[in-house]
């Protein structure tokens, strides 16, 4: 127990930190694996030509995402506090400016915006789970165009239906609040212990199904792993880099928040490897589950955001056992989204708990409700408020662009500068011990030079689109 004067700075729930290294890895991998892997990765791979894009993405994960992930976990554990207080405490201990707490503030802002639209898309997965259960995607050997129209219409009518969108969004936020309100050990840990292995099992089953039943597995493998560099554009490289952040949940202090409950004995480098490895494995498996089904029905993989909500369901209606496959697929998508959404609420709740001295359930309910309200704007952006377009984008697109193109890369860049240049090597080495001297030097080099430079390119491209194309 800390002294009275320490109490507000330490995590209120610190005594209920991760019960084991595995629990932390499951939670962090659960955060990383989400809509980004299952919804976004396959469609941006489809849009950007396949293999060469996947290769660039893998390099971005290894060279930029992974080192920043380790840095975030390191900062969280070093500071043992919420993302704002981490920088205040480190500033005081190491005699460096506490203004770096701006990184924490940006992270919290980012959590607010991302969760508000993320939960709306997670709600789509719930609606589609319901469609699957109610047999909308059962085997129907009807004429192809009628089918495509019907399934496409299903998606359009979802977006045009504020009630349905809000119902999905509300359910996701309620589940997220419920889990976070119960704390790290009693809530987050219990949820991820069931859901993350569940995710692995389902995706494995889906890949086996796609391989065994479609006859197109070979084509999907060569689409994803045979790089054709003539299809690679500068813009695609930057999309891959931006996505590397989003998919690893770095840049907005979510991993820092999880890291703040991590035991000193855990080797951070190894843990970060395991997290990034699981995330990459599931993204690749999602591609290997989706593309064979899509190819087997002469559909195209470059359909954009509609890939899993339109293209794939069209294919489901034409395969034997499509109802079951679609139930498992959308259950997978919904669970993946939920294990991510809890990690977005966590840093906010940690901060508010500290700031207002409220109980965790109360903090989770108040913070979650504010995000729920913001999310209403995102849901209505598809219908009633579609005419409201500040900066030329509806609210959903605006929040998506602001976070993914600006705030996340900026957060990642500042974290790499802070860990690479501002914190003393001694302070870092204490946290990163356990690795070899050479990996430590490589890590520092990446944090100092490669990550900030590469991210600067992404930012310039976001702010001045078309510059590199
Ligand atoms: N990594 C998640 C995904 O791929 O869907 C999204 C995400 C979660 C981003 C948590 C940021 C975050 F803090």
């Amino acid at each position: 127990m800390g002294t009275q004067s320490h109490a507000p700075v330490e995590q209120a729930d610190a005594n209920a930190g991760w019960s084991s290294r595995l629990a932390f890895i499951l939670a962090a991998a659960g955060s990383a694996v989400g809509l980004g892997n299952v919804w976004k990765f396959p469609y941006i791979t489809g849009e950007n030509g396949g293999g060469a894009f996947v290769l660039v993405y893998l390099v971005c994960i290894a060279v930029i995402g992974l080192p920043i992930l380790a840095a975030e976990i390191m900062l969280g554990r070093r500071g043992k506090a919420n993302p704002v207080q981490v920088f205040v405490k480190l500033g005081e201990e190491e005699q460096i400016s506490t203004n770096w707490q701006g990184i924490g503030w940006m992270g919290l802002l980012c959590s607010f915006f991302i969760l508000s639209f993320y939960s709306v898309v997670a709600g789509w997965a719930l609606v589609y789970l319901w469609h699957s259960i109610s047999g909308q995607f059962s085997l129907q050997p009807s004429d192809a165009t009628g089918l495509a129209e019907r399934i496409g219409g299903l998606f359009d009518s979802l977006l045009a239906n504020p009630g349905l969108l809000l119902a999905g969004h509300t359910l996701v936020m309620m589940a997220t609040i419920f889990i976070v309100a119960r704390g790290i050990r009693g809530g987050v840990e219990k949820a991820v212990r069931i859901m993350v292995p569940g995710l692995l099992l389902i995706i494995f089953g889906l890949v086996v199904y796609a391989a065994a039943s479609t006859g197109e597995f070979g084509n999907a493998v060569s689409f994803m792993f045979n790089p054709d560099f003539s299809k690679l554009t500068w813009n695609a490289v930057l999309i891959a880099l931006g996505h590397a952040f989003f998919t690893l949940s770095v840049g907005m202090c979510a991993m820092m928040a999880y890291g703040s409950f991590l035991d000193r004995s855990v080797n951070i480098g190894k843990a970060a490897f395991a997290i990034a490895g699981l995330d990459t494995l599931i993204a690749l498996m999602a591609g290997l589950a989706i593309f064979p089904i899509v190819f087997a029905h002469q559909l195209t993989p470059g359909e954009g955001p509609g890939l899993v909500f339109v293209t794939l369901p069209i294919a489901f209606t034409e395969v034997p056992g499509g109802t079951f496959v679609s139930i498992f697929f959308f259950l997978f998508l919904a669970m993946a989204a939920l294990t991510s959404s809890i990690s977005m609420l966590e840093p906010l709740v940690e901060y508010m708990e500290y700031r207002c001295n409220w109980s965790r359930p109360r903090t989770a309910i108040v913070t979650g409700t504010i995000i729920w309200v913001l999310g209403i704007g995102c849901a209505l952006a598809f219908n009633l408020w579609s005419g409201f377009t500040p900066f030329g984008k509806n609210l959903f697109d605006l929040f998506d662009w602001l976070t993914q193109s600006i705030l996340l890369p900026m957060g990642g860049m500042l974290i790499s500068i802070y860990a690479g240049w501002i914190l003393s090597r001694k302070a870092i080495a204490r946290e990163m011990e356990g690795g070899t001297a050479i990996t430590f030097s490589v890590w520092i080099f990446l944090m100092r030079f490669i990550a900030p430079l590469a991210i600067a390119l992404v930012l310039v491209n976001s702010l001045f689109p078309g510059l590199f194309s």
Side-chain angles (χ1 to χ4, degrees):
M1 280 288 133
T3 60
Q4 202 47 8
S5 63
H6 265 100
V9 177
E10 296 295 333
Q11 301 304 331
D13 237 347
N15 58 350
W18 307 112
S19 64
S20 66
R21 182 182 107 105
L22 180 68
F24 167 74
I25 289 177
L26 288 178
S31 168
V33 175
L35 297 170
N37 304 56
V38 194
W39 172 55
K40 198 146 190 200
F41 175 72
Y43 91 69
I44 54 177
T45 300
E47 280 180 338
N48 291 289
F53 177 82
V54 172
L55 195 68
V56 174
Y57 165 81
L58 293 177
V59 172
C60 291
I61 293 271
V63 174
I64 296 154
L66 177 62
I68 300 183
L69 172 63
E72 267 202 37
I73 300 171
M74 182 272 288
L75 289 171
R77 187 169 78 177
R78 183 83 175 76
K80 284 238 169 298
N82 65 67
V84 173
Q85 219 52 35
V86 158
F87 293 97
V88 175
K89 279 176 81 179
L90 276 175
E92 284 164 2
E93 277 171 28
E94 300 287 323
Q95 269 129 41
I96 44 187
S97 168
T98 53
N99 287 341
W100 290 96
Q101 65 180 285
I103 300 176
W105 284 111
M106 239 170 58
L108 295 187
L109 194 70
C110 208
S111 311
F112 256 111
F113 286 132
I114 296 196
L115 184 48
S116 68
F117 72 80
Y118 197 87
S119 142
V120 173
V121 182
W124 300 354
L126 286 185
V127 172
Y128 269 67
L129 179 59
W130 175 245
H131 283 333
S132 308
I133 294 170
S134 60
Q136 289 278 4
F137 310 133
S138 55
L139 194 61
Q140 296 171 357
S142 60
D143 72 300
T145 44
L147 191 66
E149 258 166 37
R150 187 174 71 75
I151 304 276
L154 217 54
F155 191 52
D156 292 339
S157 65
L158 167 64
L159 295 186
N161 186 337
L164 205 52
L165 288 178
L166 288 181
H169 165 56
T170 306
L171 280 177
V172 172
M173 281 313 297
M174 276 169 51
T176 306
I177 293 170
F178 178 78
I179 295 170
V180 174
R182 297 169 70 97
I184 286 289
R185 209 173 276 197
V188 176
E189 200 176 306
K190 277 198 181 135
V192 298
R193 270 185 195 278
I194 302 170
M195 286 198 274
V196 176
L199 287 177
L200 274 166
L201 211 68
I202 296 179
I203 192 66
F204 183 71
L206 288 172
V207 172
V208 170
Y209 172 86
S213 72
T214 60
E216 287 289 333
F217 195 67
N219 279 343
V221 171
S222 84
F223 176 69
M224 285 180 67
F225 298 108
N226 239 343
D228 174 357
F229 286 98
S230 67
K231 289 194 179 142
L232 195 66
T233 61
W234 246 111
N235 203 36
V237 173
L238 299 173
I239 291 176
L241 184 53
H243 187 65
F245 276 96
F246 186 75
T247 191
L248 286 182
S249 308
V250 296
M252 59 169 258
C253 306
M255 290 299 188
M256 203 181 285
Y258 274 0
S260 73
F261 296 107
L262 187 62
D263 192 80
R264 284 277 348 237
S265 64
V266 174
N267 180 317
I268 290 181
K270 281 190 187 157
F273 253 107
I275 297 160
L278 275 172
D279 183 66
T280 307
L281 182 75
I282 293 199
L284 296 178
M285 284 170 88
L288 290 177
I290 292 171
F291 290 130
I293 301 180
V294 169
F295 288 152
H297 299 276
Q298 287 84 42
L299 297 162
T300 50
E303 291 298 315
L307 181 64
V308 305
F309 292 109
V310 180
T311 315
L312 196 58
I314 292 176
F316 284 150
T317 58
E318 296 175 336
V319 297
T323 294
F324 282 108
V325 183
S326 63
I327 290 174
F328 281 117
F329 180 80
F330 288 111
L331 181 67
F332 172 64
L333 192 59
M335 286 202 309
L338 191 60
T339 54
S340 296
S341 65
I342 53 182
S343 76
M344 297 182 208
L345 187 57
E346 178 60 34
L348 288 163
V349 166
E350 266 188 48
Y351 177 74
M352 296 294 276
E353 241 182 331
Y354 156 76
R355 183 85 219 184
C356 306
N357 223 347
W358 290 341
S359 70
R360 185 167 257 263
R362 183 174 173 191
T363 320
I365 291 169
V366 172
T367 321
T369 306
I370 298 172
I371 294 171
W372 175 75
V373 172
L374 208 59
I376 294 178
C378 295
L380 299 187
F382 291 104
N383 37 71
L384 301 179
W385 290 3
S386 59
F388 178 56
T389 51
F391 304 102
K393 294 183 193 301
N394 69 31
L395 272 192
F396 183 96
D397 293 338
L398 182 68
F399 287 1
D400 183 13
W401 176 80
L402 184 72
T403 51
Q404 226 152 290
S405 304
I406 310 287
L407 291 174
L408 280 187
M410 230 153 92
M413 178 156 78
L414 290 172
I415 287 168
S416 62
I417 292 174
Y418 188 74
W421 295 97
I422 307 296
L423 266 186
S424 69
R425 275 199 183 212
K426 217 174 82 207
I428 297 174
R430 245 182 296 153
E431 283 303 322
M432 299 302 272
E433 66 197 14
T436 61
I438 183 113
T439 47
F440 185 69
S441 307
V442 171
W443 178 70
I444 290 276
F445 175 76
L446 294 172
M447 298 302 289
R448 286 192 151 189
F449 301 103
I450 306 298
L453 275 175
I455 301 168
L457 278 179
V458 176
L459 276 171
V460 170
N461 184 59
S462 307
L463 293 171
F464 308 101
L467 204 65
F468 296 111
S469 48

